[in-house]
Amino acid sequence: MKQGTTILTLDNGYHLWTNTQGTGDIHLLCLHGGPGGNHEYWENFGKELADLGVQVHMYDQLGSFYSDQPDYSQPGNDQLLTYDYFLDEVEEVRQKLGIDNFYLIGQSWGGALVQMYAAKYGQHLKGAIISSMVDEIDEYVTNINKIREDIMTPEQLKFMQDCEAKNDYDNDEYQALVDKLNAGYVDRKQPLAISHLIPTMATDVYGVFQGDNEFVVTGKLKDWHFRDQLHKITVPTLITFGEHETMPIATAKIMAEKIPHARLVTTPNGGHHHMIDNAPVYFDHLKTFIKDVENGNFND
Protein backbone atom coordinates (compact mmCIF):
# COMPACT_ATOMS: atom_id res chain seq x y z
CA MET A 1 0.00 0.00 0.00
CA LYS A 2 1.35 3.45 -0.90
CA GLN A 3 2.79 5.54 1.92
CA GLY A 4 0.26 8.10 3.12
CA THR A 5 -2.74 5.87 2.41
CA THR A 6 -5.82 5.85 4.62
CA ILE A 7 -8.96 3.82 4.00
CA LEU A 8 -12.06 5.79 4.95
CA THR A 9 -15.27 4.03 5.95
CA LEU A 10 -18.21 6.07 4.70
CA ASP A 11 -21.45 6.40 6.63
CA ASN A 12 -23.06 4.15 4.01
CA GLY A 13 -20.59 1.38 4.87
CA TYR A 14 -18.48 1.54 1.72
CA HIS A 15 -14.74 2.22 1.78
CA LEU A 16 -12.72 4.85 -0.06
CA TRP A 17 -8.98 4.75 -0.74
CA THR A 18 -7.35 8.08 0.13
CA ASN A 19 -3.75 9.23 0.08
CA THR A 20 -2.02 12.29 1.51
CA GLN A 21 1.36 13.59 0.34
CA GLY A 22 3.39 16.47 1.72
CA THR A 23 3.39 18.45 4.94
CA GLY A 24 2.31 21.94 5.88
CA ASP A 25 -0.65 24.05 6.91
CA ILE A 26 -2.17 24.43 3.43
CA HIS A 27 -4.52 21.67 2.33
CA LEU A 28 -5.47 20.77 -1.27
CA LEU A 29 -8.12 18.11 -1.94
CA CYS A 30 -8.05 16.63 -5.46
CA LEU A 31 -11.04 15.27 -7.39
CA HIS A 32 -10.37 13.06 -10.39
CA GLY A 33 -12.33 12.96 -13.63
CA GLY A 34 -14.21 10.32 -15.54
CA PRO A 35 -16.58 9.86 -13.89
CA GLY A 36 -14.94 6.60 -12.97
CA GLY A 37 -11.32 7.67 -13.43
CA ASN A 38 -8.67 7.50 -10.74
CA HIS A 39 -6.29 9.56 -8.63
CA GLU A 40 -3.02 8.82 -10.45
CA TYR A 41 -2.46 12.15 -12.20
CA TRP A 42 -2.44 13.86 -8.79
CA GLU A 43 0.43 11.77 -7.45
CA ASN A 44 3.17 14.32 -8.20
CA PHE A 45 1.27 17.31 -6.79
CA GLY A 46 2.73 16.86 -3.30
CA LYS A 47 6.27 17.11 -4.69
CA GLU A 48 5.41 20.00 -7.01
CA LEU A 49 3.79 22.04 -4.21
CA ALA A 50 6.18 21.08 -1.42
CA ASP A 51 7.91 24.46 -1.38
CA LEU A 52 4.59 26.10 -0.50
CA GLY A 53 3.94 23.76 2.42
CA VAL A 54 0.90 22.06 0.88
CA GLN A 55 -0.61 18.77 2.01
CA VAL A 56 -2.16 17.15 -1.06
CA HIS A 57 -5.10 14.82 -0.41
CA MET A 58 -6.42 12.57 -3.17
CA TYR A 59 -8.91 9.73 -3.33
CA ASP A 60 -10.62 7.35 -5.70
CA GLN A 61 -14.33 8.08 -5.80
CA LEU A 62 -16.76 5.28 -4.98
CA GLY A 63 -16.78 2.74 -7.79
CA SER A 64 -13.29 3.71 -8.95
CA PHE A 65 -9.93 1.90 -8.89
CA TYR A 66 -8.79 1.21 -5.29
CA SER A 67 -12.08 2.20 -3.63
CA ASP A 68 -15.07 -0.09 -3.16
CA GLN A 69 -16.97 -0.97 -6.31
CA PRO A 70 -20.64 -1.56 -5.49
CA ASP A 71 -22.90 -3.85 -7.46
CA TYR A 72 -24.98 -1.13 -9.06
CA SER A 73 -27.57 -3.67 -10.21
CA GLN A 74 -28.66 -4.21 -6.61
CA PRO A 75 -31.86 -2.45 -5.49
CA GLY A 76 -31.23 1.03 -4.17
CA ASN A 77 -27.66 1.30 -5.44
CA ASP A 78 -28.77 3.60 -8.25
CA GLN A 79 -28.78 6.28 -5.54
CA LEU A 80 -24.98 6.00 -5.57
CA LEU A 81 -24.92 7.18 -9.18
CA THR A 82 -26.26 10.71 -8.78
CA TYR A 83 -24.79 14.21 -8.73
CA ASP A 84 -25.93 14.60 -5.13
CA TYR A 85 -24.18 11.41 -4.03
CA PHE A 86 -20.78 12.39 -5.45
CA LEU A 87 -21.11 15.98 -4.20
CA ASP A 88 -21.90 14.88 -0.66
CA GLU A 89 -19.13 12.27 -0.88
CA VAL A 90 -16.66 15.16 -1.25
CA GLU A 91 -18.01 16.75 1.91
CA GLU A 92 -17.87 13.48 3.83
CA VAL A 93 -14.28 12.91 2.72
CA ARG A 94 -13.40 16.43 3.89
CA GLN A 95 -14.95 15.76 7.28
CA LYS A 96 -13.31 12.37 7.73
CA LEU A 97 -9.90 13.70 6.70
CA GLY A 98 -10.36 16.51 9.21
CA ILE A 99 -9.58 19.40 6.87
CA ASP A 100 -11.23 22.81 6.62
CA ASN A 101 -10.45 26.18 5.07
CA PHE A 102 -8.86 24.27 2.20
CA TYR A 103 -8.37 24.39 -1.57
CA LEU A 104 -10.40 22.09 -3.82
CA ILE A 105 -9.20 21.14 -7.30
CA GLY A 106 -11.06 19.03 -9.83
CA GLN A 107 -10.16 17.82 -13.30
CA SER A 108 -12.93 17.39 -15.93
CA TRP A 109 -15.81 15.63 -14.10
CA GLY A 110 -13.99 16.59 -10.92
CA GLY A 111 -14.28 20.20 -12.08
CA ALA A 112 -18.05 19.83 -12.12
CA LEU A 113 -17.89 18.61 -8.53
CA VAL A 114 -15.77 21.64 -7.62
CA GLN A 115 -18.42 23.95 -9.04
CA MET A 116 -21.21 22.22 -7.12
CA TYR A 117 -19.19 22.01 -3.91
CA ALA A 118 -18.13 25.66 -4.01
CA ALA A 119 -21.74 26.73 -4.54
CA LYS A 120 -23.12 24.56 -1.69
CA TYR A 121 -20.27 24.17 0.79
CA GLY A 122 -18.18 27.22 0.00
CA GLN A 123 -17.87 28.16 3.68
CA HIS A 124 -15.25 25.41 3.99
CA LEU A 125 -13.13 26.62 1.07
CA LYS A 126 -10.18 28.95 0.87
CA GLY A 127 -10.08 28.61 -2.92
CA ALA A 128 -11.43 26.56 -5.82
CA ILE A 129 -9.61 25.32 -8.92
CA ILE A 130 -11.67 24.21 -11.93
CA SER A 131 -9.39 22.35 -14.33
CA SER A 132 -10.73 21.66 -17.83
CA MET A 133 -14.45 21.61 -17.12
CA VAL A 134 -17.29 23.65 -18.54
CA ASP A 135 -20.47 24.82 -16.85
CA GLU A 136 -22.63 23.98 -19.90
CA ILE A 137 -22.23 20.53 -21.44
CA ASP A 138 -23.83 21.47 -24.76
CA GLU A 139 -20.97 23.86 -25.49
CA TYR A 140 -18.47 21.06 -24.91
CA VAL A 141 -20.35 18.70 -27.26
CA THR A 142 -20.46 21.37 -29.96
CA ASN A 143 -16.74 22.06 -29.55
CA ILE A 144 -15.51 18.48 -29.58
CA ASN A 145 -17.56 17.70 -32.67
CA LYS A 146 -16.17 20.81 -34.36
CA ILE A 147 -12.66 19.55 -33.55
CA ARG A 148 -13.56 16.21 -35.05
CA GLU A 149 -14.77 17.85 -38.23
CA ASP A 150 -11.49 19.77 -38.48
CA ILE A 151 -9.10 16.83 -37.99
CA MET A 152 -10.99 14.02 -39.75
CA THR A 153 -11.52 13.53 -43.45
CA PRO A 154 -15.16 13.55 -44.59
CA GLU A 155 -14.95 9.79 -45.03
CA GLN A 156 -13.59 9.27 -41.51
CA LEU A 157 -16.23 11.53 -40.04
CA LYS A 158 -19.05 9.70 -41.80
CA PHE A 159 -17.62 6.36 -40.70
CA MET A 160 -17.57 7.48 -37.08
CA GLN A 161 -21.10 8.82 -37.25
CA ASP A 162 -22.31 5.59 -38.84
CA CYS A 163 -20.68 3.59 -36.02
CA GLU A 164 -22.35 5.81 -33.45
CA ALA A 165 -25.74 5.37 -35.09
CA LYS A 166 -25.29 1.59 -34.82
CA ASN A 167 -23.73 1.71 -31.32
CA ASP A 168 -20.67 0.04 -32.85
CA TYR A 169 -18.13 1.68 -30.56
CA ASP A 170 -15.85 -1.35 -30.23
CA ASN A 171 -15.00 -1.27 -33.92
CA ASP A 172 -11.20 -1.21 -34.26
CA GLU A 173 -11.22 1.47 -36.95
CA TYR A 174 -13.55 3.64 -34.86
CA GLN A 175 -11.28 3.31 -31.83
CA ALA A 176 -8.25 4.19 -33.94
CA LEU A 177 -9.94 7.45 -34.92
CA VAL A 178 -10.81 8.14 -31.27
CA ASP A 179 -7.13 7.59 -30.46
CA LYS A 180 -6.26 10.21 -33.07
CA LEU A 181 -8.42 12.75 -31.24
CA ASN A 182 -6.98 11.77 -27.87
CA ALA A 183 -3.40 12.13 -29.06
CA GLY A 184 -4.05 15.67 -30.24
CA TYR A 185 -6.45 17.09 -27.68
CA VAL A 186 -6.74 14.91 -24.57
CA ASP A 187 -3.53 13.05 -23.69
CA ARG A 188 -0.86 14.73 -25.77
CA LYS A 189 2.07 13.18 -23.88
CA GLN A 190 0.31 9.93 -22.97
CA PRO A 191 2.36 9.02 -19.88
CA LEU A 192 1.62 5.98 -17.74
CA ALA A 193 -0.58 7.95 -15.32
CA ILE A 194 -2.90 8.74 -18.23
CA SER A 195 -2.68 5.58 -20.33
CA HIS A 196 -3.55 3.65 -17.17
CA LEU A 197 -6.89 5.47 -17.03
CA ILE A 198 -8.44 3.40 -19.79
CA PRO A 199 -7.94 -0.12 -18.36
CA THR A 200 -8.83 1.07 -14.85
CA MET A 201 -11.91 3.11 -15.83
CA ALA A 202 -15.03 2.30 -13.82
CA THR A 203 -17.24 1.77 -16.86
CA ASP A 204 -20.41 1.29 -14.79
CA VAL A 205 -20.00 4.81 -13.43
CA TYR A 206 -18.75 6.37 -16.67
CA GLY A 207 -21.57 4.90 -18.71
CA VAL A 208 -24.29 6.24 -16.44
CA PHE A 209 -22.98 9.80 -16.55
CA GLN A 210 -21.24 10.11 -19.92
CA GLY A 211 -22.79 7.41 -22.08
CA ASP A 212 -20.99 5.46 -24.78
CA ASN A 213 -18.35 7.95 -25.90
CA GLU A 214 -17.10 11.53 -25.78
CA PHE A 215 -18.87 12.85 -28.88
CA VAL A 216 -22.49 12.21 -27.94
CA VAL A 217 -23.34 12.61 -24.26
CA THR A 218 -26.28 10.33 -23.54
CA GLY A 219 -25.87 9.87 -19.76
CA LYS A 220 -26.73 12.15 -16.87
CA LEU A 221 -24.10 14.67 -17.90
CA LYS A 222 -26.31 15.64 -20.84
CA ASP A 223 -28.25 17.66 -18.24
CA TRP A 224 -25.17 19.43 -16.87
CA HIS A 225 -26.22 23.09 -16.93
CA PHE A 226 -24.73 25.10 -14.06
CA ARG A 227 -24.37 28.61 -15.43
CA ASP A 228 -27.23 30.04 -13.41
CA GLN A 229 -25.52 28.78 -10.23
CA LEU A 230 -22.04 30.20 -10.82
CA HIS A 231 -22.80 33.40 -8.93
CA LYS A 232 -22.99 31.30 -5.75
CA ILE A 233 -19.26 30.54 -6.02
CA THR A 234 -17.86 33.40 -3.94
CA VAL A 235 -14.39 32.09 -3.03
CA PRO A 236 -11.29 32.93 -5.09
CA THR A 237 -11.45 30.64 -8.12
CA LEU A 238 -8.85 29.58 -10.65
CA ILE A 239 -10.14 28.32 -14.01
CA THR A 240 -7.40 26.53 -15.92
CA PHE A 241 -7.72 25.15 -19.46
CA GLY A 242 -5.29 23.75 -21.99
CA GLU A 243 -4.99 25.80 -25.16
CA HIS A 244 -5.27 22.68 -27.31
CA GLU A 245 -7.99 20.65 -25.66
CA THR A 246 -11.54 19.39 -26.05
CA MET A 247 -13.15 21.88 -23.66
CA PRO A 248 -13.91 25.26 -25.29
CA ILE A 249 -11.91 28.18 -23.92
CA ALA A 250 -14.78 30.45 -25.00
CA THR A 251 -16.87 28.79 -22.30
CA ALA A 252 -14.07 29.24 -19.76
CA LYS A 253 -14.13 32.98 -20.48
CA ILE A 254 -17.87 33.10 -19.76
CA MET A 255 -17.32 31.19 -16.50
CA ALA A 256 -14.63 33.67 -15.46
CA GLU A 257 -17.11 36.48 -16.00
CA LYS A 258 -19.95 34.79 -14.13
CA ILE A 259 -17.99 33.64 -11.06
CA PRO A 260 -17.55 36.74 -8.86
CA HIS A 261 -13.85 36.26 -8.03
CA ALA A 262 -12.35 34.18 -10.84
CA ARG A 263 -9.06 34.14 -12.72
CA LEU A 264 -8.71 32.34 -16.05
CA VAL A 265 -5.35 30.93 -17.12
CA THR A 266 -4.48 28.78 -20.12
CA THR A 267 -1.62 26.38 -20.77
CA PRO A 268 0.15 26.47 -24.17
CA ASN A 269 0.52 23.08 -25.88
CA GLY A 270 -1.74 21.59 -23.24
CA GLY A 271 -4.60 19.24 -23.94
CA HIS A 272 -7.36 18.10 -21.60
CA HIS A 273 -4.72 16.82 -19.14
CA HIS A 274 -2.55 19.90 -19.35
CA MET A 275 -1.12 19.31 -15.86
CA ILE A 276 0.94 16.63 -17.62
CA ASP A 277 1.24 18.02 -21.15
CA ASN A 278 2.91 21.23 -19.96
CA ALA A 279 3.55 20.75 -16.25
CA PRO A 280 5.88 23.76 -15.71
CA VAL A 281 3.27 26.26 -16.89
CA TYR A 282 0.39 24.45 -15.19
CA PHE A 283 2.11 24.39 -11.80
CA ASP A 284 3.32 27.97 -12.16
CA HIS A 285 -0.30 29.05 -12.58
CA LEU A 286 -1.45 26.89 -9.66
CA LYS A 287 1.30 28.00 -7.30
CA THR A 288 0.80 31.67 -8.19
CA PHE A 289 -2.91 31.33 -7.41
CA ILE A 290 -2.30 29.65 -4.04
CA LYS A 291 0.39 32.20 -3.06
CA ASP A 292 -1.84 35.13 -4.05
CA VAL A 293 -4.74 33.81 -1.97
CA GLU A 294 -2.48 33.00 0.99
CA ASN A 295 -0.90 36.45 0.88
CA GLY A 296 -4.17 38.30 0.37
CA ASN A 297 -3.08 39.45 -3.08
CA PHE A 298 -5.66 37.58 -5.19
CA ASN A 299 -7.43 39.64 -7.79
CA ASP A 300 -9.57 38.46 -10.67
Side-chain angles (χ1 to χ4, degrees):
M1 189 173 290
K2 297 177 183 178
Q3 186 175 4
T5 293
T6 300
I7 304 300
L8 299 183
T9 301
L10 299 176
D11 292 346
N12 60 21
Y14 288 108
H15 302 89
L16 295 186
W17 180 94
T18 77
N19 187 271
T20 296
Q21 298 291 327
T23 59
D25 297 328
I26 302 171
H27 295 270
L28 175 69
L29 180 60
C30 305
L31 308 178
H32 66 68
N38 69 56
H39 71 279
E40 289 186 315
Y41 47 60
W42 305 121
E43 289 182 339
N44 67 326
F45 273 58
K47 179 180 178 181
E48 292 285 352
L49 301 176
D51 59 328
L52 298 186
V54 179
Q55 286 191 56
V56 176
H57 310 274
M58 64 201 87
Y59 72 99
D60 289 330
Q61 297 159 22
L62 187 64
S64 294
F65 206 28
Y66 291 148
S67 291
D68 279 354
Q69 299 176 14
D71 181 353
Y72 293 110
S73 68
Q74 292 298 308
N77 277 358
D78 57 341
Q79 297 177 15
L80 302 172
L81 293 170
T82 65
Y83 286 107
D84 286 343
Y85 168 75
F86 283 105
L87 170 60
D88 291 337
E89 181 183 83
V90 179
E91 172 59 8
E92 188 172 353
V93 168
R94 178 199 73 80
Q95 292 177 18
K96 286 183 161 52
L97 289 177
I99 60 175
D100 206 350
N101 196 29
F102 69 107
Y103 294 89
L104 183 66
I105 186 171
Q107 164 71 17
S108 198
W109 154 252
L113 292 175
V114 169
Q115 293 174 56
M116 290 187 286
Y117 188 93
K120 183 176 181 180
Y121 295 110
Q123 72 270 22
H124 297 296
L125 290 178
K126 188 181 289 187
I129 303 104
I130 303 166
S131 187
S132 294
M133 185 58 191
V134 296
D135 60 334
E136 288 289 339
I137 199 67
D138 294 344
E139 294 176 15
Y140 157 75
V141 173
T142 298
N143 189 65
I144 195 171
N145 279 281
K146 176 63 168 59
I147 290 172
R148 179 164 69 167
E149 291 175 4
D150 290 342
I151 67 173
M152 303 294 178
T153 67
E155 293 76 20
Q156 290 171 331
L157 180 61
K158 183 178 186 306
F159 175 80
M160 294 190 78
Q161 292 169 337
D162 288 344
C163 287
E164 290 156 8
K166 297 181 292 186
N167 291 321
D168 184 19
Y169 300 109
D170 293 330
N171 183 289
D172 288 343
E173 185 176 348
Y174 180 88
Q175 288 303 319
L177 293 172
V178 171
D179 289 344
K180 179 179 178 181
L181 175 84
N182 287 341
Y185 294 86
V186 181
D187 308 323
R188 290 169 64 83
K189 284 196 171 180
Q190 301 187 332
L192 183 60
I194 294 301
S195 60
H196 200 214
L197 278 174
I198 296 175
T200 63
M201 181 66 67
T203 54
D204 286 347
V205 181
Y206 179 88
V208 167
F209 280 91
Q210 177 73 25
D212 295 304
N213 72 80
E214 297 291 324
F215 302 103
V216 183
V217 180
T218 58
K220 293 182 179 182
L221 275 169
K222 72 179 185 300
D223 298 318
W224 174 245
H225 307 292
F226 204 71
R227 186 157 294 166
D228 63 351
Q229 302 296 309
L230 292 182
H231 68 279
K232 297 179 181 179
I233 302 175
T234 58
V235 298
T237 301
L238 180 68
I239 303 168
T240 173
F241 276 47
E243 291 183 4
H244 205 73
E245 72 155 276
T246 55
M247 296 286 174
I249 292 179
T251 297
K253 292 178 180 178
I254 295 172
M255 295 169 67
E257 293 172 357
K258 297 290 185 181
I259 297 173
H261 306 290
R263 174 188 297 172
L264 171 62
V265 295
T266 62
T267 299
N269 301 314
H272 192 52
H273 295 114
H274 55 294
M275 76 278 277
I276 292 174
D277 294 329
N278 193 344
V281 172
Y282 183 94
F283 282 106
D284 181 63
H285 288 153
L286 179 58
K287 292 168 74 170
T288 298
F289 171 72
I290 293 174
K291 287 188 289 187
D292 285 347
V293 175
E294 291 295 312
N295 296 331
N297 295 326
F298 177 81
N299 53 70
D300 29 314

